[in-house]
Amino acid sequence: MNLAVKFYQDCHYCPAGMPKHWPAEVIELGEGTELPEGPWLLMTKEQYEEYRATHLKDYEAYENSIMPVGGLKRALALGTEHSKHWQRIRQWLGLA
Amino acid sequence: MGFSKPSAASTTSDAMKRFVLTEHFCTNNAGGNTNGTAYSGGGDCSTTTASSVDHPGVLQLSTVASSTATPTWSGGSLCYKAGNGALSVDFVFHLPTALSDGTNTYQIYCGFGNSTTAEPTSGAYLTYTHSLNSGNFVFKTASASSRTSLNTSVTAASNTWYRGKIVFNSAGTEATCYLSTSMASLGSALGTISTNIPTANLFGTQISAIKSVGTSARALWADMLEVVKEFA
């Protein structure tokens, strides 16, 4: 299976903080190799899956940065009382 | 006639083998009868206007006079993953009386999704806007914000009811899409996607009308949504 892959760096709608090298759009080409017009890269399905697995940690860092639970996780992991998130948790619990 | 002791196998609840969640929007609560939530997003979500004899219980997702409204019905965003048994969503929706155009631009998303304001980053869904695939419906899968598109040949028609269905296979390796204007028959599959299947990322169900240009109201109707999971 061949794929046409476009990355966020080539998309007009790249969200702030999204890794530019993360795949944004895919079109399945079957056995074909003809790419659509524009900044598309030809990859096999295996290459694509391997690429995503290799760069997944970059996407997860972005996802954690935009999810509220990411802030909570970081606050608990860091355990610092000066953390903005930790302060909010303490306020919510009535401890600050 | 006496009672016999049930075998171990028969004591397993059917709910542990098959999960079914059906929403018919037969309520004054725009969130529906299940655990869904309606997000007006600057528009309006209402169940009181569009029901008919053929479509009892209809949720209207209207953009009202906003150019940026995102009215969405969400059946949760962290409910499902593909794999370990077939997972499907069956849904019935009605396109607005006017199609999307350059003056009043909107995009709809129906199916499995995880957003209450925008295109899903995890799921499998049908989408339509006039500038995409010449105004024909597009079937998409999404996993961790990477999306695969499959152009369909089904033309979007204004003021028309559609029945759609999306099925993840048991292994969670592919998603297949159906779409028909017939409520009785889905017909043949429009196509199958085997990349960006959300096996690691959770998603729920989503029906959205996302407005981006123009202040004329556009109303997407949703009549029914049913999720079925057959545990492997």
Side-chain angles (χ1 to χ4, degrees):
Chain A
M1 162 82 78
N2 292 322
L3 309 174
V5 182
K6 188 188 277 186
F7 297 87
Y8 271 98
Q9 63 195 3
D10 297 315
C11 294
H12 64 279
Y13 55 85
C14 184
M18 174 70 76
K20 302 269 190 255
H21 55 279
W22 187 247
E25 296 178 34
V26 172
I27 297 172
E28 297 183 349
L29 303 173
E31 297 309 307
T33 57
E34 193 174 337
L35 293 171
E37 226 173 88
W40 296 86
L41 183 71
L42 185 67
M43 300 176 93
T44 65
K45 187 178 176 185
E46 291 72 26
Q47 288 171 332
Y48 175 73
E49 301 294 353
E50 188 180 335
Y51 181 91
R52 282 204 3 136
T54 303
H55 294 88
L56 182 61
K57 61 182 184 307
D58 300 334
Y59 177 78
E60 287 176 340
Y62 156 75
E63 198 174 51
N64 280 337
S65 73
I66 60 168
M67 300 286 271
V69 71
L72 177 61
K73 271 195 232 167
R74 279 199 303 280
L76 293 173
L78 292 171
T80 167
E81 292 190 17
H82 302 292
S83 154
K84 183 173 65 180
H85 302 292
W86 188 246
Q87 293 284 0
R88 284 187 186 152
I89 293 166
R90 284 172 57 83
Q91 284 169 6
W92 183 65
L93 293 173
L95 301 174
Chain B
M1 188 168 67
F3 293 98
S4 60
K5 184 180 176 185
S7 68
S10 68
T11 57
T12 302
S13 162
D14 281 349
M16 297 304 292
K17 301 174 193 165
R18 189 167 194 260
F19 165 93
V20 180
L21 187 147
T22 307
E23 178 58 69
H24 281 289
F25 303 108
C26 286
T27 169
N28 287 336
N29 172 16
N33 293 308
T34 56
N35 292 323
T37 305
Y39 297 88
S40 61
D44 180 61
C45 303
S46 166
T47 56
T48 59
T49 56
S51 293
S52 67
V53 66
D54 293 327
H55 296 278
V58 172
L59 171 65
Q60 175 171 273
L61 302 164
S62 173
T63 66
V64 297
S66 166
S67 62
T68 56
T70 60
T72 293
W73 182 85
S74 168
S77 60
L78 300 170
C79 303
Y80 315 110
K81 283 183 183 178
N84 194 35
L87 174 67
S88 67
V89 61
D90 210 320
F91 47 94
V92 174
F93 64 97
H94 181 276
L95 284 184
T97 51
L99 290 175
S100 174
D101 57 28
T103 308
N104 282 282
T105 305
Y106 65 88
Q107 186 156 2
I108 70 155
Y109 304 101
C110 293
F112 287 121
N114 65 335
S115 176
T116 58
T117 58
E119 180 166 12
T121 58
S122 179
Y125 48 94
L126 279 161
T127 184
Y128 154 76
T129 188
H130 70 285
S131 57
L132 198 63
N133 188 25
S134 305
N136 292 348
F137 286 93
V138 176
F139 172 43
K140 284 188 165 190
T141 57
S143 172
S145 296
S146 299
R147 303 180 178 98
T148 300
S149 297
L150 189 155
N151 289 341
T152 80
S153 57
V154 179
T155 305
S158 61
N159 204 24
T160 301
W161 283 102
Y162 290 90
R163 181 181 169 198
K165 184 168 187 170
I166 292 163
V167 183
F168 288 110
N169 67 344
S170 182
T173 54
E174 59 184 37
T176 300
C177 173
Y178 301 81
L179 182 63
S180 172
T181 53
S182 166
M183 298 300 110
S185 169
L186 279 165
S188 305
L190 297 179
T192 296
I193 293 175
S194 64
T195 50
N196 291 322
I197 304 297
T199 52
N201 304 91
L202 290 160
F203 53 85
T205 47
Q206 176 180 345
I207 303 171
S208 298
I210 308 297
K211 193 80 176 293
S212 55
V213 174
T215 53
S216 295
R218 296 290 182 259
L220 173 69
W221 296 347
D223 178 29
M224 185 280 284
L225 184 144
E226 182 173 82
V227 177
V228 177
K229 170 83 179 187
E230 306 277 0
F231 294 101

